[in-house]
Amino acid sequence: MSRWRGSRTARRLAHLYVGLTLYGLSCALMVRAGIGLDPWDTFHQGLGKQTGWSMGVATIVVGAAVLLLWIPIRQRPGLGTVSNVVVIGVAMDASLALLPDVHGLGLQIPQMLAGVALNGAATGLYISARYGPGPRDGLMTGLHRRTGLSVRLVRTLIEVAVLASGWALGGAVGAGTVVYALAIGPLAQFFLRFFAIPEPPDAQPEPAGGPECDATPAR
């Protein structure tokens, strides 16, 4: 049994760190495609333009700031939470340094679609590890518990505010933003099931994202 548990722990850690790294790569693919980003990356890009920070640095700073908002809503971070703050930003900057911009819709659209699909797979990997939600997910579920509003309503309100702020700061909003909004939920649900890690024989099963976790990622 101890060997089985050790193997499962190694698999969970692999899911966490491979998933977070691929998440950063998927965001970079969408940035280089140049036809719209998800709401949070629209904000990160806009913030970076205003401050001179790279997108990865902006992602880390925003993640850390959101994590501070957990204190009044009594959320507790896990290994996955702290790793999320750092690894995605580092992976994004490393990927942006290697990936060139693409031009022409014949290249931009496939790259954007590849970024969205990879984002869904990365989400399935890192959430299936069950090491705690990302800072933005935790903010969403914490506000849900404190306010009594539905998870989806809280998520919508947060992401509309983030998207509007990012656009005002100069972040990219476009067809990729719409495609991401429509596709990421089904993709995340599929990959959560695909990458699910079996529970120990003596454990009670729980949802892959943890209690009250919406399968659509908010990081």
Side-chain angles (χ1 to χ4, degrees):
M1 179 63 72
S2 61
R3 181 179 297 179
W4 192 93
R5 289 183 182 276
S7 174
R8 184 174 182 274
T9 298
R11 184 177 174 185
R12 290 174 66 201
L13 289 170
H15 277 216
L16 175 64
Y17 289 109
V18 172
L20 292 175
T21 301
L22 291 180
Y23 200 107
L25 173 59
S26 72
C27 295
L29 285 170
M30 292 188 67
V31 171
R32 293 303 188 212
I35 50 176
L37 303 172
D38 69 272
W40 280 102
D41 279 336
T42 298
F43 182 70
H44 299 146
Q45 187 181 60
L47 183 62
K49 287 182 177 181
Q50 298 302 316
T51 61
W53 296 338
S54 68
M55 275 196 69
V57 169
T59 299
I60 291 170
V61 170
V62 171
V66 171
L67 196 53
L68 292 177
L69 297 177
W70 282 31
I71 297 172
I73 57 176
R74 299 178 184 176
Q75 288 283 89
R76 293 183 179 180
L79 174 64
T81 310
V82 178
S83 299
N84 185 297
V85 172
V86 178
V87 175
I88 290 177
V90 172
M92 187 187 303
D93 271 354
S95 300
L96 288 170
L98 297 173
L99 293 171
D101 289 324
V102 296
H103 304 283
L105 292 178
L107 294 175
Q108 289 174 291
I109 292 173
Q111 182 157 313
M112 178 270 292
L113 293 175
V116 173
L118 182 60
N119 193 280
T123 298
L125 272 171
Y126 88 74
I127 293 181
S128 69
R130 297 178 182 169
Y131 276 118
R136 298 154 185 84
D137 277 314
L139 176 64
M140 174 184 65
T141 55
L143 288 174
H144 154 68
R145 281 194 293 268
R146 299 289 287 179
T147 65
L149 299 175
S150 71
V151 170
R152 292 192 181 277
L153 177 58
V154 171
R155 178 185 175 83
T156 299
L157 292 173
I158 290 173
E159 296 212 346
V160 167
V162 167
L163 182 62
S165 299
W167 178 77
L169 291 170
V173 177
T177 310
V178 177
V179 171
Y180 185 92
L182 294 175
I184 194 61
L187 284 170
Q189 287 282 10
F190 171 79
F191 284 110
L192 276 167
R193 295 189 183 98
F194 185 83
F195 291 120
I197 299 174
E199 290 288 336
D202 57 346
Q204 292 295 321
E206 65 174 347
E212 298 183 274
C213 181
D214 189 350
T216 309
R219 265 190 255 164

